[in-house]
Amino acid sequence: TNKGPETPPTSFPKSIEFPELGAVVFRSGWSPDDIVMNFRCGHFYNHQHYDQGSFQLNAFGVALIPEAGWANYYNDPWYRRYYIQPVGHNTLLLDKDAGSQESGDYLHFIKAADRSARLKNFITTDFYSAASGELSDLYYGKLRLFERNVIFMNRRYFVIYDRLKSSKVPHEYDLLFHFNDSKEVDLGSDNIFTFTTDSASLYSQVVFPDNPKLKIVGGPIHFGVPTTKPGYVQVSNSTKSMDEDFLTLLYPVKGNKDVLGLSKDITRLKGEGYIGLSVNTDNNVDELLFKTGESNIKGDNISTDGTIAEVTLRNSELSHFAANEASYFIYDGKELIKATGRVTLAGKRDPKREEWQINSAKTCRVTILLPSEPGEVKLNGSLLRDYRVDGKRLEITLPKGQNSVEIYF
């Protein structure tokens, strides 16, 4: 049979959203050693597990954060009690309840029955990719907010920010991170845990909240050759609370040497309206701030009304920055972006050419502060003629949806 020409995977985007399925795949490349994570947040389909909000992480040929795995549908007593339940996945439990999550409603069902997890936001570039999902509908009325944000930075590491608000009573919030074998796991000091194999390792740090509880919980043993003892690291708030914010760093590395050495490159950040972290990598400093309440983010050099703010400095110069659901972004006293509506954006600074990804839920006007007057502007690959320039400020109209903007000097 003539199957037609093959399409090489390199022609596809490395990170992609599947809106109807309710899934996002983050990827650093297409080789066996590349980093890959999938994130699940969407409607229920038939024959699925209770796994909304979960993710799996592979890097350097190793499943560093798997899920509970395969079990026999007919004769494994743990199948219904563990493997298909939230406890068998890398998601949230309330008060250690293995069945904390219900299925939600089917896609394309009647409108009155439309309770489900849902992806709110997705953006991808070669330096900043992010997905945000809301899952509170699946927790039997016990939560009024469960927002999970997954950020893939510079195609090297992940930051997960979970915002949790109870609807009635205080809860213990339990985040799960599964492993293949307990002998690969170590709980260190300073809220750090590591998964270590010969080929690859994972440095994990619970940056917030203060004084979380970390423990190793065993799962059903996999009998075979060799016999393994899988389970998960459970990360919980120190005492039951109505609201809680969790910020977790997941940093995969090749091999198993000096994994804990990464700790010296991580700094916790906290200020007016935000928590966050700073990560040093080579000559880069990545700073990520996450909105915690009703107040806007106001950092030492960053101000925005967005939910997430990111800047990367290369050799002490601003290299790129990003913001989620923002109408303005100020860095070092300069308003770099202003919009007539909320946009999610990521921009790379360059004296010859700037690249922007700007996503908007509706048509809006966006003003960008540039290093100099532009010579040419492209919107979604086509030359743009309808724009205004006022000194170093470029004003353009963006349609609803995902937009790429290229600016040449």
Side-chain angles (χ1 to χ4, degrees), residues 122-138:
F122 172 72
I123 188 170
T124 182
T125 68
D126 61 355
F127 56 88
Y128 178 88
S129 295
S132 300
E134 217 295 323
L135 301 109
S136 59
D137 275 355
L138 305 184

Side-chain angles (χ1 to χ4, degrees), residues 133-145:
E134 217 295 323
L135 301 109
S136 59
D137 275 355
L138 305 184
Y139 283 79
Y140 295 98
K142 296 178 181 180
L143 296 179
R144 58 190 178 93
L145 178 69

Side-chain angles (χ1 to χ4, degrees), residues 292-338:
T292 54
E294 299 303 318
S295 299
N296 292 338
I297 294 172
K298 293 182 179 179
D300 292 340
N301 294 310
I302 301 171
S303 296
T304 182
D305 59 350
T307 56
I308 302 173
E310 182 276 330
V311 297
T312 293
L313 303 180
R314 178 170 295 160
N315 297 320
S316 301
E317 295 291 331
L318 182 63
S319 171
H320 51 74
F321 66 95
N324 285 37
E325 300 178 51
S327 67
Y328 70 87
F329 188 99
I330 298 171
Y331 178 73
D332 205 16
K334 299 175 182 178
E335 189 172 54
L336 302 182
I337 284 284
K338 186 176 182 179

Side-chain angles (χ1 to χ4, degrees), residues 60-76:
F60 309 107
V62 177
L64 291 172
I65 302 184
E67 56 182 17
W70 179 89
N72 191 289
Y73 180 89
Y74 296 100
N75 59 21
D76 192 325

Side-chain angles (χ1 to χ4, degrees), residues 365-368 370 372-379 382-391 393-398 405-409:
R365 299 284 290 178
V366 175
T367 302
I368 304 172
L370 302 174
S372 60
E373 285 195 24
E376 186 176 275
V377 179
K378 289 185 177 181
L379 174 61
S382 298
L383 192 64
L384 183 66
R385 301 189 184 280
D386 182 19
Y387 62 85
R388 287 184 53 206
V389 176
D390 182 7
R393 295 190 179 276
L394 170 70
E395 183 179 318
I396 58 177
T397 298
L398 295 179
V405 180
E406 300 167 80
I407 305 167
Y408 297 84
F409 303 102

